Amino acid sequence: MKLLIAAATTVLVASQAFAGSYEVRCETTKVPYQETVKGGTPEKVIGGAIIGGVLGKVVTKENAGAAAGAIIGGAVANETSKRTVTKYKDVETCTNVFIPERVTDEETLRQTLLDLNDGKSVSKEMIMDVQYTIGVGHDGKWGPRSKLAAEKYLADLAPDAPLYSLVVNDVVIVSSADASAIDQIKQALLEAGVDSHIFVDLQQ
């Protein structure tokens, strides 16, 4: 039983193999930060020291008091001169980015397109490879644009396959090799009260 599980896992991994590869890409940006700058200009510090010295001598009547006052005055002037400035530093951010590549094996591409349009599970990397190959935005999400591009691509791969066209009031709304997709659109239009017709290999 374990051997069967291992074999099934191997087949799944092989079917999900993708052409692209991951690359580490880095970019450097400048990030702002706040920094407190200590100390004022020499004029402010000296001015504070002089004022402190004069006051110290007046209060104590001694030179020692003047010296102490000068130190305190200078320290106060220096402390009150602190300010916050905005600076910038370079920060490097690195991410692991998937770089899609073209799927060169036609059968792999065809089967993957069919699986995706049938709603089957396919790895994000493989979806991006397929999207890159058929010429749509490779975001790894299989939406309406990717589905329509896949249908057109499948029709080009098999030129002899019938092409189904949905017509409303003599105007071709959409054409696809996928008959079920065309029928679903027809049913949706019918529910909305719009009458439409399906033609095979319609000549325009």
Side-chain angles (χ1 to χ4, degrees):
M1 181 65 178
K2 289 183 179 179
L3 290 175
L4 289 175
I5 294 174
T9 304
T10 303
V11 171
L12 178 62
V13 170
S15 65
Q16 292 291 301
F18 46 84
S21 59
Y22 278 94
E23 292 182 7
V24 176
R25 293 190 172 182
C26 301
E27 62 176 359
T28 302
T29 55
K30 290 190 176 296
V31 178
Y33 68 97
Q34 302 291 319
E35 183 176 288
T36 301
V37 179
K38 296 182 179 181
T41 61
E43 294 82 4
K44 287 186 178 180
V45 176
I46 294 171
I50 292 172
I51 294 171
V54 171
L55 291 176
K57 187 169 185 180
V58 169
V59 172
T60 62
K61 305 294 184 182
E62 296 180 4
N63 289 333
I71 294 171
I72 294 171
V76 170
N78 188 46
E79 188 66 24
T80 57
S81 297
K82 287 182 179 179
R83 67 188 188 279
T84 301
V85 296
T86 301
K87 293 188 176 182
Y88 293 86
K89 60 182 177 182
D90 291 335
V91 176
E92 185 179 56
T93 304
C94 297
T95 53
N96 206 21
V97 181
F98 182 75
I99 310 301
E101 290 184 11
R102 186 174 296 278
V103 180
T104 56
D105 185 82
E106 189 174 292
E107 180 55 31
T108 298
L109 176 60
R110 187 188 71 81
Q111 188 57 54
T112 305
L113 289 173
L114 291 172
D115 289 345
L116 285 166
N117 278 1
D118 286 342
K120 295 181 181 178
S121 178
V122 176
S123 70
K124 183 177 180 180
E125 292 86 353
M126 189 62 183
I127 292 175
M128 292 174 72
D129 280 341
V130 168
Q131 288 174 322
Y132 180 77
T133 303
I134 64 177
V136 293
H138 43 277
D139 57 1
K141 298 176 183 178
W142 199 251
R145 286 188 178 181
S146 296
K147 188 170 183 178
L148 286 174
E151 290 170 356
K152 184 178 183 305
Y153 204 91
L154 286 169
D156 292 339
L157 287 178
D160 296 333
L163 185 66
Y164 301 91
S165 299
L166 187 65
V167 178
V168 176
N169 295 331
D170 296 328
V171 177
V172 177
I173 302 302
V174 63
S175 296
S176 171
D178 189 344
S180 63
I182 294 295
D183 188 60
Q184 288 177 9
I185 299 173
K186 177 180 172 64
Q187 294 302 319
L189 288 173
L190 185 61
E191 291 176 6
V194 179
D195 190 28
S196 60
H197 302 279
I198 298 176
F199 294 89
V200 180
D201 293 331
L202 180 66
Q203 298 295 322
Q204 299 185 36

